Each structure stands twice: as structure tokens, then as C-alpha cells.
Amino acid sequence: MNAARLTLLGSQHDELVNYLEAHPEGNERAAIVLFRRLHISVDGLPDSDRYIAQDVIPFDEAWINSSSPTHFDFKLAPLREIFRRCEEEKLVFGFIHNHPEGPDEFSIKDDENEITLLRAISNRNGKDITFVAMLWANNVWKARVRAAAMPENTVPVRHTLVTTDPLKIYGYKESSEDHSETHKRGAAAFGQPFVDMLQSLRVGVVGTGGTGSPFATLGARAGISELVLIDDDDLALSNLNRVRGLKRGDVGDKKARKLKDFIDDIGVSVKVGVCESKIDSDPNALDALASCDVVVGCTDDFIGRDVMNIALYAYAQLYIDLGLGGRVMDDKTGQPGLRYHFGRISTILPESGECLFCQGVIHEKWIQTQLLKRENPNITKEELKERYLEDGGEEAPGVGPFTSATADFALATLFDLIKPYRRYPPVLRKDMIQVDFVNMEFRSRQTKSDNECPYCRHRKFLLMKETYRLKRPVLGKRDEYV
Ligand SMILES: [Zn+2]
Ligand SMILES: [Zn+2]
């Protein structure tokens, strides 16, 4: 069994902690969390299942035999209804409890309880199931996973991630000696836990050009332990003015593959997986994306952004989207000049930040236009107009210092989400900053505050139940319960 990663929404974490700590006599309490298990293998990366919390169920008084500050004893029979739900909805049973007086280690009694529960569930639901145990003690989560095939065996999770701003990351592994020299400066600036937390993350980078390649190379150097590079584009000669790690000899080859080769050669501890396809049409690419804790959108593709903008809710991810905008106009001498130019960093969490539609980054019309152009590359502006469609987005000249600077700011934004260091002035929104390269200032667009938005207001896609991936038949069905 692999070292899994657990993900809780901020609201789930708060609900659990508030409940566990609220016993009037300070007794232990327990809850059940039902997890969705994403069991996805990505070539080049160690297997690491993601367990995404779907539902929090505090123990009913009637289910409890007795409790004290140092013990918790419960009945099995009332839980059978929940075992049934696990089978029907393909969810993993998680047993959560606290030690109000410590220690922050699982006890021998916890072992017994977990094995009893696991056996009872597996008697009903079969031998292929897994089981999660989480312990809240001394203000940290400890967590481990068991499999029905070997109930006595426990595998500690790689981390428990709470998708809030800042991120909360528990149970990460402390660095081994041989990495500490490379990350000495990062540790000096932000502390060793920062480096270790960064190292526990799997980060997907979609688009490996002007913004994706600098983000990925610097992110690898900073200590991200696993990268997934997703891009189906070939390197063009005209990309060489701004990409990192790609050479003239790579022109005509897949950017993502060549970037992986470069990053592998840097000789830092990162592992890199590659998908040379599109997340909107290749199920493997979408699965690789879903396996990530953090997704960084480095594409100018509206269709791809639309997918990431749903995925962040469906798969409980931090999504950082990068883009550039600007306008070039001829000056008095007839030479082109930059009239305005900015880099944008959007930071969206499942329960905070406006979605890309509300931020004005993507628009249904632009997505439709792009889809139509894929089918019919020669379609004219007039034909688009007849269909009430239009090209959209920003013109961006694609010049190295600006694309690179935007990527650097995005990585620094990820740092700030792990170890907050920024002091945002009131005029800036944390979910969207623009770096204006011409007027030399930071700014944010006005919030749209669309009370009807299905993404960031109604959260219709949050922890969405999938039959087809993201409910898109073209992406096929995923059997995540393996
Ligand atoms: Zn215990
Ligand atoms: Zn929205």
C-alpha cells in the first residue's frame, strides 16, 4: 500500500475540530469521515492515493457506550447503515477521534478499535476495501490507512491537507539530510517545515511554455517533490525567447517531455510525470491532474482552463491560474510599442476565491469559439459573428521577462499559501493580482460578486459525484474504487 494523501475542506476540518473539542467534560469524541479514494497511477511518480473527504458524521450519543478524557467505546451495530452507504457510494470509511489530554500517537486501544471496524466493514463490503484513521491531538492530525487484506498493517499518510488559505498541512515527513543543503536558503527564509510541506505536495503544471516552464523549473529547485507536466504542444522556434530548459535541438519535440528531461537533469529530488495530451479530451491526462494537490494553469487555452476551473471543486484542489494580457500599438515612428501589459495570478480554493468565469478570465462564448475553431480552423470572424461567438481573452506578446516574472510571482504565491509572508494592501484581492509591467504597479480587478455563479457561489461542483469524469461522457468513466 502506498503513502496516501488525505484532503479535507476547511469547513470539514473546522466542523471536525469544533465537534471533537467540545465535549463538556473534556472526554474523547469520535466522528466518521467518508472519503472518496482516487486511486490513480501516474508514470514516473510513486503511487499515492488521494482520499478526499466527502462527508463528516459526528457520532450520535446513541452509538456511544462510554467515554472519558482517555477512552472512547462505541457500538458497532448502528454503524452498519454507514457501511452500507460506503459500498453503495464507493466511499472509504474513516474513523476519527481525539486525545484531549494527548498523546498525539495512536494507542494500542486505537489499534484494536480500527481492526474491529475494518473487519466488520470488510465482512460486509469485501476484501478490496481500505480504511482511514485520523487522530486529533495537540492541535495536529495524525493519520494512517489500513487495507482489509492486511488489517494489522498500518501505513502512515504522506500528509493531511486542509484546503484553506493558508493551506494547513499535517503529518508531512521531515527532510532527510541529503536534501537539506539544496534547500538551505528556502529553510533560512521560511523555516524547515515550509520546505518539508512543499516537498509533500504533488503539483500539476498544465502548459509548459512561457509561464509553465519557468514555474516548473523553479518549483522543482524550490523543493516540490512531484510534478506532473501536461501539454500536448510541440516546441516551436518562436517559443525559444521565453521558455526555460528547452533548446533549439528540442524544436518539433513535445515540450512537456523535453522539460521533464531537463528537470530530471537538474539533479534535485523532484520526480516528474508527463502527459503529452489534453485534459479536456484524454482521460489519462485528467486523471493525472486529479491526482495533484495543487494545479497551476499555465495555458492560454480556454477549454483547458474551463476543465481546471471545475476540477478544483470536484477534486478539492488549490488552483493557481496564470495569464498575461496587453496591447501593442504602433507609436509615432510606426514601430510597435507596449501600451499596456500585465501578468495575472488567480488563486482559487474550493471554498474561497472567485472562479475563473467570475474573474473574467474565461467566458462561455470564448470556450465555444475555441471548440468550433478546433473543428474548423479556417472559420472566419464573420462566421463566428453569425453564431454569436467571438474570440476572447487578452492579447499577450509573449516576451520572456514578463512571462517569467508572472511565473515567479505565481510560485511566490504558492509559498505564501504554505507560509504566509505577504501583507496585502486593502486594494488587492488575494484571489487575483495583476502585475502591471508598464505602469509599475500591482492591482486587482473588481470582484464580480455573482450570487448566481454555479462554481464559486452555489458550489454545484464541490465534491461532485462523478459517473463520467467531471460528468463529461467524452472523458469516460473512472472506476476509482480499486
Ligand atoms: Zn485513541
Ligand atoms: Zn464564479
Side-chain angles (χ1 to χ4, degrees), residues 28 97-99 107 110 135:
E28 284 190 17
H97 79 296
N98 67 328
H99 289 171
S107 67
D110 294 338
L135 171 66

Side-chain angles (χ1 to χ4, degrees), residues 251-265:
V251 170
D253 289 333
K254 294 287 180 208
K255 281 192 275 196
R257 172 70 50 188
K258 289 294 170 180
L259 185 59
K260 171 190 161 55
D261 292 346
F262 176 81
I263 293 174
D264 285 346
D265 280 349

Side-chain angles (χ1 to χ4, degrees), residues 186-431:
F190 299 115
Q192 190 58 39
F194 162 83
V195 175
D196 295 343
M197 284 190 250
L198 193 61
Q199 274 187 340
S200 83
L201 296 176
R202 178 178 295 186
V203 179
V205 178
V206 180
T208 52
T211 50
S213 62
F215 185 94
T217 48
L218 207 52
R221 292 178 195 278
I224 294 170
S225 67
E226 293 175 11
L227 282 168
V228 182
L229 307 178
I230 305 176
D231 195 335
D232 69 332
D233 269 353
D234 297 335
L235 183 70
L237 208 48
S238 62
N239 299 146
L240 285 183
N241 74 319
R242 59 191 185 278
V243 289
R244 297 285 174 93
L246 300 168
K247 308 180 292 292
R248 192 182 181 103
D250 302 328
V251 170
D253 289 333
K254 294 287 180 208
K255 281 192 275 196
R257 172 70 50 188
K258 289 294 170 180
L259 185 59
K260 171 190 161 55
D261 292 346
F262 176 81
I263 293 174
D264 285 346
D265 280 349
I266 296 175
V268 289
S269 54
V270 67
K271 295 190 172 62
V272 187
V274 170
C275 289
E276 297 164 16
S277 54
K278 287 187 190 299
I279 50 172
D280 60 273
S281 51
D282 176 14
N284 292 320
L286 182 70
D287 284 353
L289 183 90
S291 82
C292 296
D293 306 299
V294 177
V295 171
V296 185
C298 298
T299 167
D300 51 10
D301 163 29
F302 300 123
I303 302 170
R305 280 191 178 125
D306 180 35
V307 171
M308 291 184 276
N309 188 61
I310 298 179
L312 88 97
Y313 299 102
Y315 307 130
Q317 295 166 319
L318 162 64
Y319 175 33
I320 301 176
D321 187 84
L322 285 66
L324 287 104
R327 183 161 299 263
V328 178
M329 285 165 78
D330 285 353
D331 61 20
K332 276 179 267 175
T333 66
Q335 290 297 316
L338 269 185
R339 285 308 158 93
Y340 75 92
H341 195 30
F342 64 86
R344 171 191 50 82
I345 298 107
S346 299
T347 307
I348 313 171
L349 285 152
E351 295 181 300
S352 64
E354 285 198 339
C355 74
L356 286 189
F357 285 105
C358 289
Q359 292 198 14
V361 175
I362 56 176
H363 196 293
E364 196 53 46
K365 268 187 186 175
W366 303 343
I367 298 166
Q368 292 308 323
T369 304
Q370 207 188 323
L371 285 167
L372 207 62
K373 279 184 157 175
R374 259 196 208 167
E375 281 169 34
N376 180 3
N378 300 320
I379 196 160
T380 62
K381 268 206 154 55
E382 284 67 38
E383 285 170 310
L384 285 173
K385 243 186 174 162
E386 278 168 28
R387 298 178 192 224
Y388 301 100
L389 293 176
E390 59 189 54
D391 275 318
E394 293 278 356
E395 283 175 31
V399 177
F402 308 126
T403 49
S404 244
T406 306
D408 288 353
F409 270 109
L411 184 60
T413 300
L414 176 60
F415 288 4
D416 186 57
L417 279 148
I418 295 171
K419 177 77 188 275
Y421 62 89
R422 287 178 174 165
R423 284 187 288 272
Y424 280 83
V427 292
L428 287 186
R429 296 167 48 175
K430 285 192 84 176
D431 63 341

Side-chain angles (χ1 to χ4, degrees), residues 107-117 144 146:
S107 67
I108 293 166
K109 180 68 186 156
D110 294 338
D111 271 324
E112 288 169 17
N113 282 342
E114 288 169 25
I115 293 169
T116 305
L117 274 166
R144 59 191 188 182
R146 294 173 191 261

Side-chain angles (χ1 to χ4, degrees), residues 424-450:
Y424 280 83
V427 292
L428 287 186
R429 296 167 48 175
K430 285 192 84 176
D431 63 341
M432 192 230 264
I433 52 170
Q434 290 184 350
V435 187
D436 187 326
F437 299 119
V438 174
N439 297 307
M440 304 300 288
E441 62 180 15
F442 291 102
R443 59 160 185 270
S444 297
R445 277 192 201 139
Q446 282 273 282
T447 47
K448 192 174 173 205
S449 299
D450 176 2

